Amino acid sequence: MKTCKIQLNDVIYNAAEQCFEAIVTVHDTGRSFKYACAINAPISTSFSDAALGLAKQANRRHLGRGGMRSEIKRLGPDQRAGRPRFDPKSWLKRVANLPGLRAA
């Protein structure tokens, strides 16, 4: 079974719906997946039990059992397409030596 790092953000209790709600982030193979999760529970539920339920719900959704998600892929540095590196000193020398740009 695969294990992913899970992060809970902005856990709140929605008294109107009588549920705990949170944005749960699952970090997996260099990408982050965010899920909006909610579990029905009374306000007397301990935070650790509510957090465990929210984390389980996010993990189930992450494993492909449905639900809407947001994905953030970490980007590495862009690859240069064989172009030489820009050297500002040599560029400035070329510009200074262009014909017709000298003051009288």
Side-chain angles (χ1 to χ4, degrees):
M1 184 169 154
K2 188 172 168 180
T3 307
C4 303
K5 181 181 171 188
I6 295 178
Q7 175 184 353
L8 296 170
N9 296 321
D10 302 326
V11 178
I12 62 167
Y13 185 75
N14 184 341
E17 299 292 327
Q18 295 184 352
C19 66
F20 284 91
E21 300 174 344
I23 300 295
V24 183
T25 307
V26 178
H27 301 280
D28 185 17
T29 62
R31 297 186 299 181
S32 299
F33 302 90
K34 293 189 180 207
Y35 301 92
C37 296
I39 58 164
N40 294 326
I43 196 166
S44 60
T45 304
S46 70
F47 180 78
S48 60
D49 289 341
L52 182 63
L54 292 165
K56 280 184 180 180
Q57 188 179 83
N59 199 25
R60 282 189 197 116
R61 288 183 181 175
H62 183 67
L63 294 175
R65 297 188 186 135
M68 192 165 53
R69 72 180 186 195
S70 168
E71 179 180 347
I72 301 170
K73 184 178 179 182
R74 292 194 180 138
L75 297 176
D78 290 337
Q79 295 292 326
R80 298 184 66 85
R83 297 178 294 185
R85 287 202 159 291
F86 177 71
D87 183 17
K89 287 182 181 180
S90 64
W91 176 81
L92 192 55
K93 285 179 185 176
R94 280 194 319 243
V95 169
N97 292 329
L98 287 174
L101 295 178
R102 301 196 187 277

